[in-house]
């Protein structure tokens, strides 16, 4: 019986990183999972390569969207056919460390009151040739305090109980920051979070944050905050815009 479902969506994937991402999942110490890969309107060439990769392991299952529908739509679609009682997110350009699933699943089994667990990460800024390790808040209390101002849960590090997505789905109106938007809604409904201190994923940033990323990030904040926090965010907008310019051109 499948215990865990890993969801990974592909559109304009870099095949080198995609291959490493898939292999990092197949080589996990924890074995009882299915890997659902959504081909979200990808090119014919990329689709063929993904089907070739799917032959590596019988745990891989393919779902294909005829046209590009976006990450939120694709994850919702994959969730509907998933069989595991735990849902894991993976990205097509990020790598899961060998003991990631083992540690996350074990934690959720031992801590029944925790619904969503993320981890810290090694962030590889490929466009800047720099690396750093995140230091996100750990406890539910710390995460809840941080959420109004920034996203302290890395999407590609997340493992959550299936019952959460049975009730709360990704909002397909969000082309970016769909995870942040979901966390903010879950916070309002007393869903509990946790982050493991250990970096159990490597996040590869091929390019800097874009103005589209920033747009959706701000949209989440303004749609899900109280008046005081909204005012603080609006006042900080010039700083955020300046940071995006710095990242893109310096």
């Amino acid at each position: 019986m499948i215990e865990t479902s890993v969801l990974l969506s592909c559109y304009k994937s870099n095949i080198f990183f995609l291959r490493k991402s898939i292999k990092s999942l197949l080589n996990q110490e924890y074995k009882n999972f299915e890997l659902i890969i959504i081909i979200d309107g990808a090119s014919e060439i990329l689709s063929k390569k993904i089907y070739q990769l799917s032959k590596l392991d019988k745990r891989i299952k393919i779902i294909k969207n005829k046209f590009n529908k976006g990450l939120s739509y694709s994850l919702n679609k994959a969730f509907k056919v998933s069989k595991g009682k735990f849902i894991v997110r993976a990205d097509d350009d990020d790598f899961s460390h060998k003991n990631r699933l083992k540690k996350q699943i074990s934690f959720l089994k031992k801590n029944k009151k925790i619904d969503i667990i993320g981890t810290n990460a090694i962030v590889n800024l490929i466009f800047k040739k720099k690396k750093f390790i995140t230091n996100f808040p750990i406890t539910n209390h710390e995460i809840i305090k941080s959420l109004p101002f920034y996203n302290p849960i890395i999407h590609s590090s997340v493992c959550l109980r299936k019952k959460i997505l049975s009730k709360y789905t990704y909002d397909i109106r969000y082309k970016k920051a769909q995870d942040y938007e979901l966390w903010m809604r879950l916070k309002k409904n007393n869903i509990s979070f946790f982050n493991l201190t250990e970096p159990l994923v490597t996040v590869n940033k091929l390019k800097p944050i874009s103005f589209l990323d920033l747009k959706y990030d701000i949209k989440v904040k303004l749609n899900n905050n109280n008046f005081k926090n909204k005012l603080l965010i609006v006042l900080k907008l010039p700083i955020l815009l300046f940071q995006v310019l710095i990242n893109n051109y310096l």
Side-chain angles (χ1 to χ4, degrees), residues 186-223:
L186 296 180
K187 177 179 76 74
K188 295 176 184 176
N189 289 279
N190 298 315
I191 301 301
S192 57
F193 301 87
F194 197 87
N195 271 325
L196 295 177
T197 55
E198 187 178 354
L200 294 176
V201 295
T202 295
V203 176
N204 294 296
K205 297 287 187 182
L206 305 181
K207 55 186 178 180
I209 185 172
S210 67
F211 286 105
L212 184 62
D213 295 320
L214 183 61
K215 170 188 171 182
Y216 279 99
D217 181 83
I218 293 169
K219 184 178 179 180
V220 171
K221 290 177 170 66
L222 295 181
N223 286 347

Side-chain angles (χ1 to χ4, degrees), residues 17 41 50 78 91 97 99 108 114 138 140 168 236 245:
F17 287 102
I50 294 171
D91 276 346
H97 301 182
N99 56 353
L108 288 179
I114 299 297
I138 303 303
N140 182 59
Y168 307 98
K236 288 182 178 179
L245 288 171

